[in-house]
Amino acid sequence: MDNTGPTFCAIYRWRLHPGSEEAFVRAWSRVTQLLLTERGSLGSRLHRGPDGLWYSYTQWPSAAAKAEGLSRPSVDPEAWQELRGAIAESLPELILEPVADFLAPLPRHDLPRTSADERLPVT
């Protein structure tokens, strides 16, 4: 593997309260965008699974960069609160070891559209 890519990747999984999906996407997008632009995150993708769970795949330059980026005060306390309020259950974080990387940027037009997509970019 070429070690120039991200060295810390994780998957997060949530079960949401019914009816909170739009608020969750909006808050997740806001927090993710700020972590990308202000805290050194390498971005994240949000997915809805056929099992009813929501999944986020995130990348950071290192575990230390993630820890440092998240140890400071919240990038947006209101969005964090909205995010937490939408979550009925958080499953344990899955830390992944990158072995090979051929992931290309996902064109926006290939993503399923929601009303939240009109307001905020997906990161």
Side-chain angles (χ1 to χ4, degrees):
M1 177 183 155
D2 178 6
N3 288 330
T4 60
T7 59
F8 180 87
C9 301
I11 293 179
Y12 299 95
R13 301 164 295 158
W14 307 278
R15 191 172 319 279
L16 303 182
H17 293 291
S20 67
E21 297 83 2
E22 188 174 325
F24 178 80
V25 171
R26 182 177 51 248
W28 180 92
S29 297
R30 173 75 178 145
V31 168
T32 298
Q33 184 68 37
L34 290 170
L35 290 173
L36 179 66
T37 60
E38 298 180 12
R39 298 291 174 86
S41 165
L42 297 175
S44 189
R45 286 193 175 140
L46 182 62
H47 306 267
R48 180 178 18 212
D51 55 3
L53 294 179
W54 288 73
Y55 296 82
S56 176
Y57 172 79
T58 187
Q59 299 180 120
W60 290 81
S62 66
K66 176 195 174 237
E68 195 280 324
L70 296 179
S71 69
R72 296 188 280 169
S74 176
V75 289
D76 185 329
E78 199 171 295
W80 272 113
Q81 184 176 359
E82 186 174 24
L83 189 67
R84 284 190 211 104
I87 297 170
E89 177 185 12
S90 289
L91 298 166
E93 172 186 63
L94 300 173
I95 306 300
L96 305 175
E97 176 187 355
V99 175
D101 187 351
F102 298 95
L103 189 62
L106 186 62
R108 182 149 174 82
H109 59 81
D110 288 348
L111 291 172
R113 305 293 294 174
T114 69
S115 58
D117 288 339
E118 301 300 323
R119 292 186 293 269
L120 291 170
V122 174
T123 57

